[in-house]
Amino acid sequence: MRVRKLTLAAMALAAGLSLTACQNDDGGTDQGAAPPAASTASSSNGGSESAGTGSSGADGADGADGSGGSDGAGKTPNGTGGTGGTDGAAEDGKPAKCRTDELEITATDATVGGDTEGTVAVDLRNGGGRDCTLAGYAGVDLKTNAGTLSAKRTGQQATPVVLKDGENVTFGITYPMNDSGGSGVRITGLVVTPPNETKSVTLDWPGAATLPVTDGSGTPVRVGPMGSAGQGD
C-alpha cells in the first residue's frame, strides 16, 4: 500500500508539473505572438494611410490636372480666343491688325512732272467688314529682269493707322528715274506685304518701265510708312 501511495503521489506530481509547463508554453506563445501581430497591424495601417495619402495626393494631382490643368488649358483657349479676339480688338484697345485678305491693294503712278525721282502710291482699302489697324511699314519688292529688288525704309516714324471698314490709307514708293540713256533694269511687277503679315499681293508696276543700273552699293528704291503721301513728305 505504501508503494502504491508513493506511485500515485509521483504521478500526481508529474501531472502537475506537466500542466504547469503547458501553461507556461501557451503563455509564452501568446506573449511572443502578440507583439508581431500588433506590429503587422501598425504596418498595415501605416501602409493604408500612406496609400491613402498617396491616393489623396494622386487625387490632388488629378485635381491639379483637372482644375489647374483644365482651367489652365481652358485659359489657353481663352487666350487663343483673345488671339481670336485679335480679330476684334488688340491688347491696347485698338482694333486688331488688318489681314492681307481684308485689304484691297492697288498701285498708281504718282510722279509729278519735274520730280527727280519717280513715285508710286500704294493704296490699302479696308474691305473686311470691321475696323482694323495698320502699323509700321509694308514690305515692298520689285520684280525685275535681274531678280527681286527689295525696297529700303525711309526711316520716318511709323504711326499706327486705324482703318474703319471702307476707309483707305496710302504709302509711297520712290525710285530713281533712268536718265542714263541705257536700257537699265526692267521692272516686271510689284509685290506688297502689309505690315505684320506674311501673305503678299502681286501687282502690275505702274511706274517707269526701268531703273538705272547701279553699282550694287544698295537698293535705290525707298518705301515710306503707312500714311505717307507721294514721296513720303
Side-chain angles (χ1 to χ4, degrees), residues 116-218:
T116 58
E117 290 185 310
T119 302
V120 166
V122 179
D123 187 81
L124 297 87
R125 180 179 179 277
N126 179 12
R130 66 179 180 90
D131 295 355
C132 63
T133 302
L134 286 171
Y137 287 75
V140 171
D141 297 292
L142 299 187
K143 289 183 171 184
T144 76
N145 61 338
T148 300
L149 184 65
S150 296
K152 184 177 180 180
R153 297 176 179 181
T154 60
Q156 292 174 274
Q157 182 177 357
T159 303
V161 177
V162 175
L163 288 183
K164 293 186 180 299
D165 184 39
E167 290 185 347
N168 66 293
V169 65
T170 303
F171 68 88
I173 302 171
T174 60
Y175 60 95
M177 303 293 285
N178 182 19
D179 297 327
S180 64
S183 58
V185 178
R186 183 166 55 88
I187 304 172
T188 60
L190 169 64
V191 181
V192 176
T193 308
N196 303 309
E197 279 288 90
T198 56
K199 186 174 183 179
S200 303
V201 173
T202 300
L203 307 170
D204 292 334
W205 173 251
T210 63
L211 295 173
V213 177
T214 64
D215 58 6
S217 59

Side-chain angles (χ1 to χ4, degrees), residues 11 39 55 79 84 95 113 135 181 195 204 220 226:
M11 290 177 63
S39 175
S55 179
D204 292 334
M226 288 295 125

